[in-house]
Amino acid sequence: MEEKNIYKLSNTQRNVWLVDQRFSNTNVNNIVGELKFNTKIDIETLKRAVNLLVKKNDALRIKMEYHDGILEQYIEEYKKFDIDVLNINNDKEYLQEFSSYIFNLTKDNLYYFEIIQDDKGKTRLISRFHHIIADAWSLSLVSTEIIDLYNKLTNKIEITDENYYSYFKYIESEKQYINSERYFKDQKYWNEIYEKEPQILSFKNDISKINTKAIRYTKTLNKKISEDIKKFTKENGVSEYCLFLTTLQVYLSKRYNIDDVIIGNPFLNRKNRNEKEAIGIFVNTLPVRLKIDYEISTLELLKINSKTIREALKHEEYPYNDILEYVKDKHSINQNLYNVLFSYQNAKDITEKEQISYSSEWIFHNIIADNIEIHIHDRNDTGAYSIVIDYQNQLFEENEIEKLYQAYENILEQVVKEKIKNPKRLRREIRKAVENNGIGTKSQQALKIQQEQAKLTRKSNRHEKNMLEKYLRFNLKQ
């Protein structure tokens, strides 16, 4: 038997492993996708295409094993495998069951495919990956590569034996990075960002008891607002990503009365064409720290944030765990730096290739590691942005998320229509948006407690303190 080469986990894989340990026996690290075909598909050819995908991408053949308590990995040799074909008409419930599977890191293949057909002859390919071998960008690559391989097989176009870019070349490059001058420049940048103690936005005091079960809330901005966004960003020299992120920043700032906002941002972290075309986990989620100053104009705030984002992107390879270690040593903070994650996806899905009409979808699996995650995209190139809010339902109620969306949309619309130009009006409009759309009951109670406790520290009357504590206890029971 050929001796296998053992590799350490990459930094991004190590982050996934830590999440896996924190939320053990859950499907929190599943990546689930669905490829829907709108044209007739030959099932056997589709199976061959999927087999070739796994054969050519070594990241999909990663196997894990423990050595002295440390998780490490190796590449398993390709072996042809069959794919189950199921006849299911109402697949919504089945997709939830499919996505809820909990991988055994050291025993399972970390990928899985099934083909679903219905009575109308429609075909779809569903896939499931552990996040330790694939990220959301990889999910998109899986779809496009399967379609490409299927077309080549159908049209009898030669497919070379050469494999695609190896994920383990990235691991080797990461080793070089850790010992490079660039690493120490990145370290200097992030250490300076967190030189001063950060304010960490928490939605619950006891974070150890938060349940990761989540619900997805989706809304689509109308095309007029979407067009206004594109026009505003183009005319003012800022990215759409920056505008969406800044809108979230100012909302959270006013909503929770903080001027120091940290938001987790997933950065692609793929430095060249080979890495951009490779399946694997490269994404690095970093804590972007944004300060708000109401003495400057809205456009000035956008320009400042634009610069902050550009600088963070220059240092996107730096390991998040190294930032956490620095903050722990410097400020004695031993928790995640962000509880809100934001992503803006500007990639468009190709929906037709070589006369094959298809669509792909990322399946939500009702569990998230962060308290709330906001994703904005127009993947199907409709001209209207979708705003997707995944939230832990132990912390938020649906009406609270609806009001968050309404306030967010209102602020966004006011900014892009340039109805808010001066800082005082920006502050008024944010206050109005928050007040008009309310604060949901669960986080409202937590916020009310924090505000009232702050008042108590400034009062010496013991009787008044006792009365207020009784009032808060009574109201939280309602």
Side-chain angles (χ1 to χ4, degrees), residues 190-201 258-262 289-291 323 326-335 337:
W190 287 107
N191 286 359
E192 286 175 355
I193 292 294
Y194 285 96
E195 176 69 23
K196 291 184 179 179
E197 184 173 350
Q199 294 175 269
I200 298 177
L201 174 60
I258 55 175
D259 59 8
D260 184 5
V261 179
I262 301 172
R289 190 174 187 179
L290 303 169
K291 300 287 185 73
I323 300 174
Y326 174 77
V327 172
K328 180 181 177 181
D329 293 342
K330 179 78 175 174
H331 305 296
S332 300
I333 294 174
N334 192 21
Q335 68 179 87
L337 295 176

Side-chain angles (χ1 to χ4, degrees), residues 80-126:
K80 185 180 178 182
F81 59 95
D82 196 18
I83 301 173
D84 290 336
V85 181
L86 308 176
N87 184 268
I88 299 174
N89 289 306
N90 186 3
D91 62 357
K92 190 172 183 180
E93 188 175 320
Y94 182 73
L95 282 174
Q96 285 304 313
E97 180 186 335
F98 180 85
S99 63
S100 298
Y101 180 84
I102 300 172
F103 281 101
N104 184 316
L105 267 178
T106 57
K107 293 182 180 178
D108 289 342
N109 286 331
L110 300 178
Y111 66 87
Y112 184 73
F113 296 90
E114 281 182 354
I115 297 170
I116 294 178
Q117 288 190 306
D118 61 24
D119 292 340
K120 295 178 181 178
K122 294 280 180 139
T123 302
R124 58 188 64 188
L125 176 73
I126 55 175

Side-chain angles (χ1 to χ4, degrees), residues 126-169:
I126 55 175
S127 54
R128 180 177 64 222
F129 309 92
H130 195 288
H131 195 19
I132 207 162
I133 67 164
D135 52 25
W137 183 270
S138 297
L139 197 60
S140 179
L141 290 174
V142 164
S143 296
T144 55
E145 287 182 17
I146 287 173
I147 296 296
D148 183 61
L149 290 165
Y150 180 91
N151 278 325
K152 286 180 177 177
L153 289 168
T154 300
N155 297 312
K156 296 182 171 50
I157 297 172
E158 182 184 3
I159 299 172
T160 66
D161 290 333
E162 185 180 356
N163 287 348
Y164 299 146
Y165 180 80
S166 173
Y167 182 71
F168 294 90
K169 289 183 180 178

